[in-house]
Amino acid sequence: MSYPFDKIEKKWQQYWDENNTFKVVEDSVKPKYYILDMFPYPSGAGLHVGHPEGYTATDIISRYKRMNGFNVLHPMGWDAFGLPAERYAMQTGIHPSITTQQNISTFKRQIKMLGLSYDWSREVNTTDPKYYKWTQWIFLKIYNSWFDKKACKARPISELPIPDGLNEKEKYDFISKHRLAYLAEMPVNWCGELGTVLANEEVDEWVEKGYKVERKMMRQWMLRITAYADRLENDLDELDWPQSIKEMQRNWIGKSEGAEIEFKITDTQETIRVFTTRPDTLFGSTYIVLAPEHKLVEKVTTAEYFEDVEEYRNQAALKSEIERTALEKNKTGVFTGGYALNPATKKEIPIWIADYVLISYGTGAIMAVPGHDQRDHDFAKTYHLPIVEVVSGGDYKKAAYEGEGIAINSSNDEISIDNLPTKQSKDKIIQWLEEKKIGKRKINYKLRDWLFSRQRYWGEPFPLVYDDDGTAIALSETELPILLPDVESYKPSGTGESPLATIEKWLNYTDPKTGKKYRRETHTMPQWAGSCWYYLRYLDTQNNNELCSSEKQKYWMPVDLYVGGAEHAVLHLLYSRFWHKTLFDLGYVSTKEPFQRLVNQGLILGEDGQKMSKSMGNVVNPDDVVIEYGADALRLFEMFMGPLEDTKPWSTKGVEGVFRFLNRVWRMFVDEDGKINSSIQDVPLTVDQERILHQTIKKVTSDIETMNFNTAISQMMIFVNEFLNLEVKPIAALKPFVLLLSPFAPHIAEEIWEKLGSKKSLAYEAWSKFDDSKTRVDTIEMVVQVSGKIRAKLPLSRDSVEEEVKKLAFENESVKKHLEGKTIVKTIFVKNKLFNIVVK
């Protein structure tokens, strides 16, 4: 009979729930293992078959570790704030909390039907005020901190050394300048229809949906992540992460060494400050380029070029940063009419604006060296600007030479770097700049401070208010959480603020102690905020007095294994590491890093080989697969498709194949009447049976440790092939096999284990052990060749010596026949493999 997966799976899921099988508490006797999934955003579409891949992998590890005596923390929760829910609310009038809860219910039902061994008592939801109270609390800790550059760590603002003699306004400004959270006018991606700022990574998604996005200067809350740039880069060396992910983080941080140089603007006292990684090419700078948003644009632009410049700035505002910096795009710009003095050549050079220069990187201005930077070269060719060669090694008339070499054409009355190699010429020119006080050595980063404001309703409110002068004031921790008000409309305010700005009752705040009136901050936090620290709340979800207790944090941290998609390779991981390091500096966590080991699962594509999407019509719903084949089949197939990290196409036939394997497992144990097969007996194992058993235990154990789940399943299939049709099946081999199968297919394994006589779940049974000496084959097949052609195959004892093999080979009739009339030149012996007789 086919195994009744529909009844079995519901039965065991109910058992695990009712018995809290996977609930975990701290236990000093056991070693801990904290395994974490990147928690999902609960969209209205529910799970697709790509989601269970990572979840099944972590579940296999979790079950395996429990059986090996580890105290395993394996939690799940919901990253539930976000723009899609708010947009849906705008369109339907349904409160986002309602749709979010509906989506969570769907996700939770689907996840439970997969038999994943989560500790549901630790479930978190980022939109729950009991949760976001602590998101707001962390923000206050960051807001009330400053970064001590000498100690390279965050400290409470109370420890900031404030200069003497400052009045209250000056003191406030000084403190604000040093806070890790600060207000600043920043260029942002503004979507008027959505009424909010979008992250660079969100722009394409919403533009594709027909929304218009423009660049706009707005007052935003920023977090000073750049203060941690060195630590974020250097500490990557200590982590067991894929090298590709580390490289992506390093590239995002973008550490570069060079110099800042001052270019005096002609006929003014103003200077343009640029950053360059190649100060040795200063003599080749033939023009300056400012970002369209640069504060000096209006000062350098002459009346003749004012209209052209304004028109260009308006056009640039409609482009995203990705569009502006695309390598393949044609470089555009406009001349301002102004000039600056190259401090090395003493020549006036024109000042342009161009959208490929970003105000948010470096100083928002570059010294263009078209002979040695391809972007500048393309621009110079387009606008007929001079190109000068100052580093030997290329043909500057055809393309920029960006490599190192010997400096040429680089001297004036005060300094010459001619004939020096790049490193020496860099050092010498920087020394000259510093002596002249027109420049200095500088380390710069591509990493920018984290733009932390969103003009949305559906996000965490800031625990801040403003007085009549616009002074920001942090609320007391005792007032947390600052709750979102119930609203009827989610439409943008029309002023650039969030819909919260239209709710007067909520907006106006009265200090309960002084009675003074204030205005609340109407921006909300980005979705990243709640996902930055959720792994800490899992440790102590019921604690209303602190984020998590020190004892629990010290017991569980760091996360031993973190599994999720590579789409979070940079921002989520970088932001989480930043928050964690700040909390570490302030003494709230005991580890420098949150996630010790990271694994990224690959995508599961549609059967057509394309990425799954509704528009393509190739989305596979796990509900449909589970209804037809069961959760164990879905789990097993997703692990059998190939290496976890690889991208793989879905295959319904593949699911059918795995389903047949599970039916064979069932028949191996269970008769037609649903009872244990009478062929299963307590008999000794043969040598071959013992060898296959120990090989299987060894292989599955090793493959789980290395997360090579597909080959572990292959080995279990070999085991079933060997034992299924035996007239007498030894219980001593079959019981260990059930334990090996259980992390992969827990429902069928639990049912068989019960039928074998157990009164309790196998979840905490001891993992099967292998004897390495019993995995070896005692006899081997030795190939005998004559001049490279196989003439015999001899069954021999493993590790037979050459003389013994030689004797048996020469006695073999087939070998003798092919040696007749031949002269033996030499013999070649390869232990346990072949014996070759070379003749002529």
Side-chain angles (χ1 to χ4, degrees), residues 673-730:
D673 60 2
K675 295 180 180 179
I676 281 294
N677 198 315
S678 59
S679 65
I680 299 176
Q681 298 178 22
D682 187 7
V683 296
L685 299 177
T686 67
V687 172
D688 284 345
Q689 290 170 350
E690 190 173 54
R691 173 175 48 79
I692 293 166
L693 171 63
H694 286 267
Q695 285 177 339
T696 302
I697 297 171
K698 180 180 180 179
K699 179 67 173 165
V700 174
T701 301
S702 172
D703 285 349
I704 291 178
E705 290 282 1
T706 57
M707 302 183 78
N708 291 307
F709 304 118
N710 56 322
T711 52
I713 295 168
S714 295
Q715 182 62 39
M716 287 190 282
M717 290 177 171
I718 292 170
F719 179 95
V720 172
N721 287 341
E722 294 290 339
F723 283 86
L724 175 61
N725 296 316
L726 293 178
E727 291 185 10
V728 177
K729 302 181 182 70

Side-chain angles (χ1 to χ4, degrees), residues 453-477:
S453 291
R454 296 294 185 270
Q455 293 66 45
R456 303 174 187 165
Y457 165 76
W458 194 232
E460 300 91 341
F462 282 88
L464 299 167
V465 295
Y466 297 92
D467 65 14
D468 293 338
D469 297 328
T471 300
I473 299 166
L475 295 176
S476 167
E477 293 174 15

Side-chain angles (χ1 to χ4, degrees), residues 334-393:
V334 63
F335 178 46
T336 65
Y339 289 84
L341 190 69
N342 182 323
T345 63
K346 312 298 184 184
K347 294 179 180 178
E348 286 188 346
I349 57 177
I351 303 170
W352 288 66
I353 63 170
D355 60 13
Y356 75 89
V357 178
L358 303 177
I359 190 65
S360 52
Y361 177 66
T363 65
I366 66 165
M367 63 174 213
V369 186
H372 304 285
D373 182 286
Q374 193 58 46
R375 294 180 312 167
D376 299 342
H377 191 278
D378 295 341
F379 192 90
K381 284 282 190 181
T382 301
Y383 295 103
H384 310 291
L385 295 164
I387 302 174
V388 177
E389 182 182 28
V390 292
V391 180
S392 63

Side-chain angles (χ1 to χ4, degrees), residues 414-442:
E414 299 171 351
I415 182 174
S416 173
I417 57 172
D418 284 339
N419 302 315
L420 291 178
T422 297
K423 185 179 185 308
Q424 291 180 32
S425 56
K426 277 185 181 180
D427 291 339
K428 188 171 181 180
I429 199 82
I430 291 174
Q431 183 180 356
W432 177 73
L433 290 167
E434 291 178 335
E435 288 172 355
K436 298 285 290 183
K437 294 183 169 49
I438 53 174
K440 61 181 179 179
R441 190 179 298 274
K442 179 79 172 178

Side-chain angles (χ1 to χ4, degrees), residues 68-246:
N68 278 279
F70 283 82
N71 198 29
V72 176
L73 174 56
H74 190 207
M76 177 51 76
W78 318 105
D79 185 13
F81 274 128
L83 184 54
E86 184 166 349
R87 186 61 187 157
Y88 187 76
M90 291 181 198
Q91 295 168 337
T92 65
I94 301 173
H95 197 285
S97 66
I98 296 173
T99 55
T100 297
Q101 193 53 56
Q102 290 171 345
N103 296 343
I104 287 174
S105 296
T106 299
F107 266 61
K108 190 170 181 179
R109 173 191 62 77
Q110 290 180 307
I111 285 176
K112 282 198 165 190
M113 81 178 178
L114 298 173
L116 301 166
S117 61
Y118 292 121
D119 179 356
W120 286 106
S121 71
R122 295 172 182 263
E123 180 181 5
V124 300
N125 174 351
T126 58
T127 69
D128 183 345
K130 292 179 182 177
Y131 180 90
Y132 71 68
K133 165 185 177 178
W134 298 105
T135 308
Q136 293 169 339
W137 180 88
I138 296 173
F139 174 81
L140 284 179
K141 293 302 174 187
I142 294 172
Y143 177 78
N144 287 317
S145 298
W146 64 289
F147 194 80
D148 183 342
K149 292 182 180 179
K150 289 184 179 178
C152 198
K153 63 177 290 187
R155 296 188 186 278
I157 208 74
S158 59
E159 297 178 11
L160 177 66
I162 301 173
D164 295 333
L166 300 183
N167 61 37
E168 287 304 310
K169 175 66 168 61
E170 291 169 335
K171 188 181 295 186
Y172 173 83
D173 290 343
F174 180 84
I175 293 173
S176 297
K177 184 179 177 182
H178 287 83
R179 290 186 188 276
L180 282 179
Y182 64 96
L183 276 169
E185 289 284 330
M186 294 296 296
V188 297
N189 303 310
W190 173 253
C191 179
E193 191 176 351
L194 292 173
T196 188
V197 167
L198 297 175
N200 287 332
E201 297 70 33
E202 297 172 317
V203 171
D204 287 345
E205 174 190 353
W206 291 97
V207 168
E208 286 175 8
K209 294 177 181 178
Y211 293 87
K212 182 179 177 181
V213 179
E214 62 180 318
R215 296 290 285 176
K216 184 176 179 180
M217 295 296 289
M218 291 184 68
R219 194 164 178 254
Q220 303 285 300
W221 278 102
M222 310 292 294
L223 299 189
R224 212 178 296 274
I225 190 174
T226 51
Y228 282 85
D230 277 337
R231 283 169 61 182
L232 288 168
E233 180 178 46
N234 296 337
D235 291 350
L236 286 169
D237 294 336
E238 302 174 19
L239 300 178
D240 181 10
W241 288 16
Q243 281 304 123
S244 60
I245 302 299
K246 289 185 181 183

